[in-house]
Amino acid sequence: MGKKDQKEKERVEAVLELLRKQAPLTVKQEKFCNNACVERFLRAKGDSVRKAAKHLRACLSWRESIGTEHLIADEFSAELAEGVAYVAGHDEESRPVMIFRIKQDYQKFHSQKLFTRLLVFTLEVAIQTMPRNVEQFVLLFDAGFFRSASAFMNLLLTALKIVAEYYPGRLHKAFVIDPPSLFSYLWKGVRPFLELSPATMVVSSLDFEESLEFNDFSSYPRASSLRFDPSSIPSTAKIGSCSSSRFSFTVSHHFDSLKPWYLSLADTSGSKVGPTSPSPSMLGPALISPLNARSLSFASPAARTPRGGIYGGSASRPAKKSLFASTPLPERTNYGKNDAMSINHPRTPRPSFLQSPALFFRKECHVSRADKSRESFLPFLKFYRRPYDEMIYRSKMRPPLGGLISIVSPQLKRRHMSVSQRF
């Protein structure tokens, strides 16, 4: 561990030396280019000193062009009042969670530069609220106000590109909530070209409505009736029935149930299924089972042929030849009457672990992308549903980002937070 730490320190010092050779760093730039920041840029560029120094110099020039040192909350008073972009809180690992609820008309009345400044301002506020051991944040994009998938895609790509280029290693997860219907098709085409696409997930708020109102389905009799119990319906009470040698179809008197019909494998017709012989006492009545009750339409050619012979006739009288080509059949054989017991019905072979071991782990390991997105979004659902409070968000800002309102004494902030928590 000591050698690795020494190598990392040497790389950090080499990056800072290259930056100082190109141009002297100001006091604020020196404060920004601390060891943790340089290490993030090194990890993003594969521990390449030259690439990390070039990337960091581009980031410093971009921050000067945006004017990050002069961003204050008074510039975004309308956005803060409506809750367009804000820090909703911190998760279990003290990562700040930011929510962006931007309407589709926002881009019509505001320029792209203003949106970029609002995004950078929100990111800087989130970074200020981070503890010392935390370096990442979470983004929640609420797309429910957008009707155009392309308009929201442009906004999302702009935000993800800024985070990837000028805040490398900062994003933990990003969630797109309730996007337009055509967004999924655009996302499939754009996703392979995005650097932060593995950390971005698409979720729907409709999948989480059951967490509030539908916690227990068993309390609802209508829903609990979906679990059918065949013992609850008497076999004698029938409105109409259809029986055959393989199964019986019965309809009960109870119209209020969601499944008034059921399928029984009992032999109600009195006929026998399976091999028969001249001595019924030896074989007994035929039993109905899923094996002999199944359809043999997709079985092997030997299973589709009658028992008298493979070609549909007996040994003395062969069957007629068909004009149409059919599936090639095995060699012609003759079965005697005493060999009826030796006929084996074709069965699907059981899978072997040596042949296909993936079959034994498919059910446990196969998890769809939607299920993963849903499970990962559950810890952040409370931030998405929490109502927005402007004063609580402003109380998290530190000077100079907070503007004039950040000069308010901490006692007034605590009083307002206590009153808001009561309601």
Side-chain angles (χ1 to χ4, degrees):
M1 294 299 292
K3 295 182 180 180
K4 292 183 179 180
D5 294 339
Q6 290 180 359
K7 290 182 179 180
E8 290 180 358
K9 290 181 180 179
E10 291 177 358
R11 291 172 182 172
V12 171
E13 292 177 357
V15 171
L16 293 176
E17 288 180 0
L18 288 177
L19 290 175
R20 289 161 184 165
K21 287 181 180 179
Q22 296 175 1
L25 300 177
T26 62
V27 178
K28 294 182 179 180
Q29 290 178 349
E30 287 281 356
K31 185 179 179 180
F32 176 78
C33 298
N34 51 17
N35 293 338
C37 178
V38 178
E39 287 177 0
R40 286 193 299 270
F41 278 85
L42 282 171
R43 287 194 298 266
K45 294 301 178 181
D47 295 335
S48 177
V49 176
R50 293 182 179 179
K51 292 181 179 180
K54 183 179 179 180
H55 191 189
L56 189 55
R57 172 56 66 180
C59 180
L60 292 175
S61 60
W62 175 81
R63 292 176 66 89
E64 289 181 0
S65 63
I66 293 295
T68 55
E69 305 297 337
H70 305 287
L71 291 175
I72 58 175
D74 299 337
E75 182 181 352
F76 313 101
S77 58
E79 287 80 359
L80 295 181
E82 296 179 1
V84 175
Y86 62 96
V87 179
H90 296 74
D91 62 355
E92 297 179 355
E93 298 184 6
S94 301
R95 288 186 290 256
V97 180
M98 286 168 283
I99 298 180
F100 293 88
R101 287 194 172 99
I102 301 176
K103 298 181 181 180
Q104 185 173 348
D105 299 336
Y106 182 83
Q107 294 179 334
K108 295 181 180 180
F109 303 101
H110 301 82
S111 62
Q112 186 70 23
K113 183 178 180 181
L114 184 60
F115 169 72
T116 304
R117 291 177 63 85
L118 175 64
L119 174 65
V120 174
F121 172 78
T122 310
L123 295 176
E124 293 295 329
V125 173
I127 292 174
Q128 281 188 352
T129 60
M130 288 182 181
R132 293 183 178 179
N133 299 328
V134 178
E135 295 183 352
Q136 294 181 328
F137 48 72
V138 180
L139 299 178
L140 304 182
F141 294 95
D142 188 0
F145 297 99
F146 276 82
R147 298 178 301 274
S148 174
S150 60
F152 178 74
M153 178 63 72
N154 294 333
L155 185 143
L156 179 65
L157 293 180
T158 302
L160 293 180
K161 184 178 179 181
I162 291 175
V163 174
E165 290 291 332
Y166 307 113
Y167 296 89
R170 288 289 194 181
L171 181 63
H172 175 64
K173 287 180 181 178
F175 296 94
V176 179
I177 308 168
D178 296 336
S181 58
L182 298 178
F183 175 81
S184 59
Y185 300 98
L186 299 177
W187 179 246
K188 288 181 181 179
V190 176
R191 184 172 184 176
F193 305 98
L194 287 179
E195 182 180 354
L196 299 179
S197 60
T200 307
M201 302 179 183
V202 181
V203 295
S204 176
S205 61
L206 298 178
D207 298 337
F208 303 93
E209 287 185 352
E210 59 184 13
S211 60
L212 288 179
E213 300 177 359
F214 308 102
N215 292 328
D216 187 10
F217 283 97
S218 61
S219 60
Y220 299 90
R222 191 74 176 175
S224 62
S225 63
L226 289 173
R227 297 168 181 169
F228 178 71
D229 186 9
S231 62
S232 61
I233 298 178
S235 60
T236 58
K238 298 181 181 180
I239 295 176
S241 63
C242 175
S243 61
S244 65
S245 60
R246 298 186 183 274
F247 61 87
S248 65
F249 184 81
T250 307
V251 180
S252 66
H253 285 290
H254 303 284
F255 292 100
D256 56 344
S257 73
L258 295 180
K259 276 176 108 176
W261 54 268
Y262 69 96
L263 187 66
S264 175
L265 294 178
D267 191 3
T268 58
S269 62
S271 61
K272 299 178 182 180
V273 177
T276 58
S277 65
S279 58
S281 61
M282 296 175 60
L283 295 178
L287 299 177
I288 303 297
S289 66
L291 178 62
N292 55 21
R294 67 175 182 171
S295 174
L296 299 177
S297 58
F298 296 96
S300 61
R304 294 196 297 266
T305 57
R307 294 192 176 88
I310 298 297
Y311 290 89
S314 60
S316 61
R317 186 182 63 183
K320 296 181 180 180
K321 295 183 179 180
S322 177
L323 297 176
F324 300 95
S326 60
T327 306
L329 301 177
E331 296 181 359
R332 183 175 180 179
T333 56
N334 297 327
Y335 295 97
K337 295 182 180 180
N338 296 330
D339 297 336
M341 292 292 296
S342 61
I343 298 177
N344 294 327
H345 296 281
R347 296 185 179 182
T348 304
R350 295 183 178 180
S352 175
F353 181 81
L354 300 177
Q355 293 178 356
S356 57
L359 295 176
F360 295 88
F361 304 100
R362 185 178 297 174
K363 294 182 180 180
E364 298 179 0
C365 299
H366 179 69
V367 180
S368 63
R369 183 178 297 174
D371 295 338
K372 291 182 179 179
S373 302
R374 189 177 187 277
E375 292 178 359
S376 58
F377 182 67
L378 279 176
F380 309 102
L381 180 62
K382 58 182 179 180
F383 300 103
Y384 174 73
R385 289 178 173 173
R386 183 179 298 173
Y388 170 71
D389 194 333
E390 181 182 359
M391 293 304 298
I392 293 180
Y393 175 47
R394 286 181 178 270
S395 64
K396 298 176 183 178
M397 303 177 187
R398 299 178 183 176
L401 293 176
L404 298 176
I405 303 180
S406 63
I407 306 176
V408 179
S409 61
Q411 296 180 357
L412 296 178
K413 294 180 183 179
R414 292 174 184 174
R415 290 178 183 176
H416 180 76
M417 291 178 64
S418 61
V419 171
S420 61
Q421 290 176 359
R422 294 176 184 177
F423 298 97

